[in-house]
Amino acid sequence: MKITIQQIEEAEKRLQGVVIRSPLQFSKRMSEKFDATIYIKREDLQEVRSYKIRGAYNKMASLSVAERKKGIVTASAGNHAQGVAYSCSYLKIHGTIFMPITTPLQKIERVKHFGNKYVTVRLVGQTYDESAKAAHDYCDKKNQIYIHAFNDPLTIAGQGTVGKEIIEQLPDGLDILVAPIGGGGFISGVSEYIKAVNPQVTIYGAEPENAAAMEESLKQKKLITLKKIDTFVDGAAVQRVGEVTFEICQRNLKKIIVVPVGRICKTMIDLYQNEGIIAEPAGALAMAALSSLREEVKGKTVVCVLSGGNNDILRYPEILEKSLVYQGLKHYFIIEFAQKPGQLRLFLENGLGPNDDIVRFEYMKKSNKEKGAALVGIELKDRKDLEPFLKRLEEIGINYQKLSNKEMLYDYII
């Protein structure tokens, strides 16, 4: 299936007065860092704080009077739900929105706010895919209209209006586009428009580690359903992409960059501290992917799409934690102390370096044991300080086990 320029232009007309023409913001910091001309497409500045309003409204505004009376059903991890809720209220269509129970509270409350009296929220399933199955079953039972988050030509055409704006905002030309992928609706619409206007533009997708359904499907050249996914990057955590989006991405994408969650978290913090931008994990995906594209973007004009800014402030401690671990600045150990006086002092005075900081210490003394273990968290000023720290522990005879964030034990105790 192909989404045409005409379909995208029709979507743009429907969206007038509903969405803003989001700014294309030049990033001096990232341009200098990657030796390129880098712009950020600020879709986080839409009223629902993401591009999802474009596809949701375009689909719903295209419904007939009879279809609108039936009511609509959808499933979403958060941002599509807000776009649908806004559209329900704006168009006066009653809707039922299914969301995973893992959805951040901030997104759930925003859906209720935008939907007002027109929307009912149901929390079902651990993932988007489980929630979507329940939504489809409910929709069939009630004989209502399903508004797909990504696998629908009208939804894709609505998202494609972002591509039209980018082309118009860069009269001197675009070399590379980097965009996030969840189900693939956004990058499908944007790539269809940009490739139709300028086939020379290179398009990269960005997916989170442990939830890269599109990358795996393209690799195997068929639609793949991931058995298990990490839902931390909730806006892009999909077990199976769409048939339509898979076909378009096969045709239009150069490559997909799979981004570690820790790097996404570091990018979120960098955006906040340097540009004052509040990005959600999926919103920061495209910028986080740049570190894997250093040679490709060098000397080029690049647009990274910041797809959303619906981030719950309560998540920031976890985001900061993941960022520090990814940078090699925070480490956890099980340290074995002999049950005799002076062991802790030995560790503090001879084990720690001048810039090392203890950020967690949990010790359980057992009177019938000669040795006792402690969980110790260490934060370093420089990742290079780790090896000297480990060497000092060996020199003073303290046994330890370094915990890896890849281990099951790490997830249970950290």
Side-chain angles (χ1 to χ4, degrees), residues 37-56:
T37 303
I38 297 176
Y39 295 89
I40 304 172
K41 181 62 170 167
R42 296 289 306 277
E43 281 297 290
D44 59 305
L45 296 178
Q46 298 293 346
E47 188 170 351
V48 299
R49 298 182 191 163
S50 86
Y51 68 86
K52 286 286 191 176
I53 180 63
R54 296 174 183 262

Side-chain angles (χ1 to χ4, degrees), residues 346-362:
L346 176 68
F347 172 73
L348 294 174
E349 293 181 353
N350 299 96
L352 291 181
N355 296 314
D356 302 343
D357 189 20
I358 297 177
V359 291
R360 185 167 178 178
F361 192 94
E362 296 180 23

Side-chain angles (χ1 to χ4, degrees), residues 133-278:
K133 184 182 183 306
H136 278 290
D137 292 343
Y138 179 87
C139 189
D140 292 341
K141 181 180 178 181
K142 296 291 185 178
N143 191 30
Q144 295 183 319
I145 306 301
Y146 194 83
I147 309 299
H148 205 289
F150 48 83
N151 199 45
D152 185 293
L154 285 164
T155 302
I156 295 170
Q159 324 300 28
T161 58
V162 174
K164 185 174 187 295
E165 289 179 12
I166 291 170
I167 292 296
E168 292 171 351
Q169 289 169 318
L170 278 180
D172 293 335
L174 170 67
D175 296 314
I176 293 173
L177 174 82
V178 188
I181 297 177
F186 179 79
I187 201 166
S188 292
V190 171
S191 68
E192 285 285 70
Y193 188 90
I194 289 177
K195 283 290 191 181
V197 173
N198 183 359
Q200 301 306 312
V201 175
T202 303
I203 300 177
Y204 294 97
E207 283 188 295
E209 187 179 45
N210 299 323
M214 185 67 80
E215 194 264 350
E216 188 62 30
S217 294
L218 292 180
K219 185 190 297 182
Q220 297 196 32
K221 297 182 180 179
K222 63 180 181 179
L223 274 172
I224 297 297
T225 301
L226 300 179
K227 292 181 180 179
K228 185 179 178 182
I229 58 173
D230 182 350
T231 59
F232 178 81
V233 187
D234 51 288
V238 173
Q239 288 174 270
R240 184 181 177 91
V241 300
E243 294 86 355
V244 178
T245 59
F246 172 66
E247 180 187 330
I248 294 173
C249 287
Q250 268 191 314
R251 186 169 64 242
N252 291 343
L253 302 195
K254 172 75 171 178
K255 184 181 179 182
I256 292 178
I257 306 301
V258 178
V259 187
V261 167
R263 192 198 298 172
I264 296 169
C265 292
K266 181 181 184 302
T267 302
M268 292 172 68
I269 292 167
D270 288 344
L271 286 167
Y272 179 73
Q273 291 180 334
N274 293 283
E275 284 83 20
I277 295 173
I278 298 174

